[in-house]
Amino acid sequence: MNDGTKVRRAGELIARLDLTNLNDDCSEADVAALIEKAETPSGPVAAICIWPAFVGFARRELSARIKVATVVNFPLGGSDIDATLLETQKAVQDGADEIDLVIAYDRVAEDPGFVEAHVRTIRANCGHAKLKTILETGKLYDEATIRVACNAALSGGADFLKTSTGKVEVNATPASARILLEEIAKAGSTVGFKPAGGIRTFEDADGYMRLAETICGIDYPTPERFRLGASGVLADLLAVAQGSERPGGKAGY
């Protein structure tokens, strides 16, 4: 990849970034700082992803061209559909554009029908908001179970398949990403894909976008269908986009 291609690619990745703060001690001031970062020198990120408590504040303060994403049933993926439904309805009312739902991943192997029903219920109550289903692939352990989770979420009407919460030991990996993308390709749909957790460098981010292009087609990973769930990768992407010194002393190119 030559220097010009890297600069262009880094800008494309920034436009597909869900800039995230889901720290336990996140405050309104932290969200305000995230909003400020979201309008980067290389263009806006796709969305910010924050706790539900801050959705109303973020929607008031954020440019309309940047989406507000929030999380429900997060991070443990419980089985209380009513509680998740209330979270979702409140988030949509407050102005959320996207809902990132943790599925009941501990029930996938034994009761995928429950997972499908859970997703379908939340999808029916999202209104205009997109539903991104978090499968927590690092807790599903084997390929077959991950594929069952994908199919349950897709059957329930998910708009996106997302790998991880970023809160467990194993988050996004190329292997799990490949499985999700293969199931999206089989469905022949426009379902989106979001790897999350452990994406720290331009090379990490670019690798996932290349994988999406390879499996789902070169035109697949638009900002509407491909997102990167990360908080720490922005500085590296900006350095590459601007040809400046990268964190860790790497050259911008």
Side-chain angles (χ1 to χ4, degrees):
M1 189 185 297
N2 62 37
D3 293 350
T5 301
K6 282 188 176 182
V7 168
R8 174 183 57 78
R9 190 73 162 186
E12 291 174 350
L13 291 165
I14 289 168
R16 290 156 174 78
L17 182 62
D18 283 4
L19 194 61
T20 302
N21 189 331
L22 293 170
N23 296 334
D24 292 339
D25 61 353
C26 182
S27 66
E28 189 172 282
D30 294 324
V31 174
L34 198 70
I35 290 169
E36 187 173 349
K37 288 181 182 178
E39 292 280 2
T40 85
S42 295
V45 302
I48 64 168
C49 187
I50 53 175
W51 291 108
F54 303 115
V55 166
F57 169 76
R59 188 66 282 166
R60 290 191 299 272
E61 300 295 321
L62 194 63
S63 163
R65 63 181 179 164
I66 299 174
K67 305 296 186 184
V68 175
T70 194
V71 291
V72 298
N73 207 31
F74 188 94
L76 299 179
S79 297
D80 190 335
I81 295 179
D82 289 340
T84 310
L85 181 58
L86 288 173
E87 280 187 295
T88 302
Q89 291 170 332
K90 178 65 163 60
V92 172
Q93 182 181 4
D94 287 347
D97 301 296
E98 299 173 358
I99 302 294
D100 288 29
L101 161 73
V102 186
I103 67 166
Y105 55 84
D106 62 346
R107 297 186 66 160
V108 167
E110 299 299 326
D111 193 3
F114 176 87
V115 175
E116 179 182 336
H118 194 177
V119 172
R120 182 177 292 108
T121 298
I122 302 308
R123 171 63 272 175
N125 286 272
C126 280
H128 70 278
K130 285 188 175 181
L131 180 62
K132 310 213 285 292
T133 47
I134 305 173
L135 307 187
E136 201 68 292
T137 53
K139 289 291 189 179
L140 298 179
Y141 302 113
D142 64 77
E143 179 178 333
T145 307
I146 294 173
R147 291 191 189 277
V148 170
C150 290
N151 289 317
L154 290 169
S155 296
D159 297 305
F160 265 75
L161 298 184
K162 176 178 172 181
T163 59
S164 321
T165 60
K167 297 288 188 179
V168 295
E169 290 183 4
V170 178
N171 292 290
T173 66
S176 62
R178 177 175 289 278
I179 296 168
L180 270 59
L181 286 163
E182 286 174 350
E183 293 304 318
I184 289 169
K186 285 179 191 175
S189 69
T190 57
V191 172
F193 168 66
K194 179 178 174 179
I199 303 169
R200 297 183 176 87
T201 67
F202 166 80
E203 289 78 13
D204 292 339
D206 185 58
Y208 284 114
M209 189 160 162
R210 285 177 177 274
L211 191 62
E213 289 169 338
T214 299
I215 295 172
C216 293
I218 195 72
D219 296 328
Y220 169 79
T222 64
E224 291 73 35
R225 286 195 297 257
F226 177 84
R227 297 288 181 80
L228 297 159
S231 52
V233 75
L234 179 59
D236 199 46
L237 294 179
L238 283 171
V240 175
Q242 297 169 359
S244 58
E245 186 77 7
R246 293 174 66 183
K250 295 180 182 179
Y253 294 119

